[in-house]
């Protein structure tokens, strides 16, 4: 058993905050042998763009708040070192494999989808170093996160140190359908489960 493959024609979903007051529109497209994920988050009034390899490894991240140019740009170079748009190397981020934003249910799905249904059985877990981005301050800091598969399509994310917990129900594609108390799928893509 594994996740349903995305269509090369693209994939679109819309999430709402739990109170249904704010929306995020999200698209995933296949181009130049990689995925491009784009999200417009209404509550925080930000847009993010991520380039992901075919195997769901983050290669580039851009965050737009109120400028035409990205407010934050992070990318991996050929030596797998993180850097910023001004060329500054970020040794503090060395070893991090993913980037997460607290304001969206998409970014935690990246490592979960990569870990997949085949690698982790129910009751198993994996710890990964990630880059946590704060959209208000533009800080990008490394944190250790434990991803636990608690059911067939249920996952838990626990941040080391402060113990913050997020729980998710995934759809057949490995995207978040429900994050109780925070987000729910408003409009599923054709063929996706809610």
């Amino acid at each position: 058993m594994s996740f349903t493959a995305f269509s090369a024609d693209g994939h679109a979903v819309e999430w709402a905050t739990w109170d249904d007051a704010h929306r995020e529109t999200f698209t995933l497209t296949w181009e130049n042998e990689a995925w491009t994920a784009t999200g417009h988050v209404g509550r925080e009034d930000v847009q993010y763009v991520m380039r992901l390899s075919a195997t769901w490894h983050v290669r580039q991240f851009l965050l737009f708040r109120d400028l035409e140019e990205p407010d934050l740009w992070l990318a991996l170079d050929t030596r797998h070192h993180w850097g910023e748009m001004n060329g500054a190397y970020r040794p503090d981020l060395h070893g991090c494999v993913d980037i997460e934003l607290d304001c969206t249910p998409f970014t935690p799905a990246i490592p979960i989808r990569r870990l997949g249904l085949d690698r982790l059985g129910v009751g198993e877990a994996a710890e990964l170093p990630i880059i946590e981005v704060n959209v208000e301050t533009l800080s990008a800091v490394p944190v250790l996160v434990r991803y636990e598969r608690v059911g067939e399509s249920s996952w838990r994310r626990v941040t080391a140190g402060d113990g913050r917990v997020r729980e998710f129900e995934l759809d057949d594609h490995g995207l978040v359908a429900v994050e109780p108390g925070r987000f729910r799928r408003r409009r599923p893509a054709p063929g996706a489960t809610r």
Side-chain angles (χ1 to χ4, degrees):
M1 181 177 168
S2 58
F3 292 122
T4 301
F6 290 106
S7 167
D9 295 334
H11 194 80
V13 297
E14 183 178 273
W15 288 287
T17 52
W18 200 252
D19 62 5
D20 209 35
H22 304 281
R23 306 271 188 280
E24 175 181 349
T25 57
F26 172 83
T27 58
L28 185 69
T29 55
W30 177 255
E31 53 192 10
N32 299 321
E33 304 300 317
W35 293 106
T36 300
T38 304
H40 297 268
V41 183
R43 180 178 55 195
E44 284 77 7
D45 194 23
V46 298
Q47 177 183 354
Y48 62 87
V49 178
M50 299 181 87
R51 288 287 288 168
L52 306 164
S53 72
T55 56
W56 285 76
H57 288 86
V58 177
R59 297 294 177 237
Q60 187 176 48
F61 169 80
L62 294 92
L63 180 70
F64 298 86
R65 292 187 307 185
D66 52 4
L67 302 173
E68 289 184 23
E69 297 296 317
D71 292 279
L72 179 64
W73 178 91
L74 295 170
L76 280 173
D77 66 16
T78 56
R79 297 180 319 261
H80 296 281
H81 294 152
W82 288 100
E84 294 184 8
M85 94 172 96
N86 62 7
Y89 172 53
R90 291 287 306 266
D92 58 315
L93 304 179
H94 183 68
C96 291
V97 294
D98 292 296
I99 295 177
E100 285 194 14
L101 302 171
D102 187 56
C103 64
T104 176
F106 170 67
T107 54
I110 297 168
I112 291 172
R113 188 173 158 79
R114 193 177 58 251
L115 291 169
L117 301 177
D118 299 327
R119 284 188 54 200
L120 289 181
V122 174
E124 295 181 332
E127 285 190 343
L128 298 173
I130 67 157
I131 300 168
E132 197 171 66
V133 173
N134 183 312
V135 298
E136 291 181 24
T137 66
L138 299 179
S139 69
V141 297
V143 296
L144 187 63
V145 174
R146 180 178 174 88
Y147 297 92
E148 305 168 354
R149 187 170 177 206
V150 296
E152 280 303 312
S153 62
S154 304
W155 291 74
R156 180 180 301 123
R157 174 204 184 279
V158 182
T159 307
D162 62 13
R164 283 177 291 145
V165 175
R166 293 174 70 178
E167 296 189 351
F168 312 94
E169 290 290 329
L170 303 182
D171 66 14
D172 292 343
H173 289 91
L175 295 179
V176 173
V178 176
E179 184 178 344
R182 299 193 71 214
F183 302 104
R184 64 179 109 210
R185 183 74 57 78
R186 178 144 170 84
R187 183 187 49 163
T193 58
R194 189 153 194 216

